[in-house]
Amino acid sequence: MRRAGGDPVAALRRHPRAAADRVRRGAGAVGAAGLAAGAGMTLRLACRIGFFIALVAVVAGSIVPGAWLGGPVLQNDKLTHMAGYFALAMLAAMGWPRLRGAALVGLPLLGLALEAVQTLTPARGFSWLDAGANAAGIGLAVAASAVLTRWITR
């Protein structure tokens, strides 16, 4: 159904009944990669948009005065750092799979820069533990995205 260099989505459009039969039988000759190729661009676009939304949220959350934050955010500070940077790195790695290494380098630098900027805001300061939690979230996300990408394209 897919020729070398051919478009798997076009093949699905030409033979929709055969493709549906293969999906019911477990993807058959089309394979999961061929089926995911049609949705791949949509997933990438969604991850790219989500990345910029998450980036704004992480930057804003990092530079607001400490009095604006409260409750569970301050109680689970390291978990919040790890989760925020995990989300950023996962969205970056899934949105731009070929630039996964850039996320591994660039996002920790962003985290360090934001930690430095926090010294200028009231009741906030630089913390190596926060930077470590950021890096841990990024590392986990890059590893998870590599596994997930490999599983999707299988």
Side-chain angles (χ1 to χ4, degrees), residues 67-139:
W68 292 12
L69 302 173
V73 173
L74 290 180
Q75 293 172 355
N76 300 311
D77 181 40
K78 304 307 176 256
L79 186 60
T80 303
H81 278 267
M82 187 182 284
Y85 280 85
F86 178 90
L88 272 178
M90 182 63 90
L91 290 167
M94 296 302 290
W96 296 276
R98 293 183 182 171
L99 299 176
R100 191 176 287 128
L104 191 59
V105 173
L107 289 175
L109 294 175
L110 171 69
L112 286 172
L114 289 173
E115 285 295 321
V117 169
Q118 284 181 1
T119 61
L120 304 173
T121 60
R124 303 289 294 268
F126 186 92
S127 169
W128 283 108
L129 292 175
D130 288 350
N134 297 346
I138 294 163

Side-chain angles (χ1 to χ4, degrees), residues 10 12 18 41 44-45 50 64 96 104 122 131 146:
L12 291 173
M41 191 57 189
R44 280 191 197 146
L45 181 60
V64 298
W96 296 276
L104 191 59

Side-chain angles (χ1 to χ4, degrees), residues 1-2 6-13 15-43 151-154:
M1 187 142 180
R2 181 176 180 204
D7 179 16
V9 176
L12 291 173
R13 286 189 193 118
H15 308 288
R17 181 168 288 160
D21 290 340
R22 284 190 177 94
V23 169
R24 278 192 285 282
R25 289 191 313 251
V30 174
L35 293 174
M41 191 57 189
T42 304
L43 176 65
W151 180 75
I152 288 173
T153 59
R154 225 182 347 162

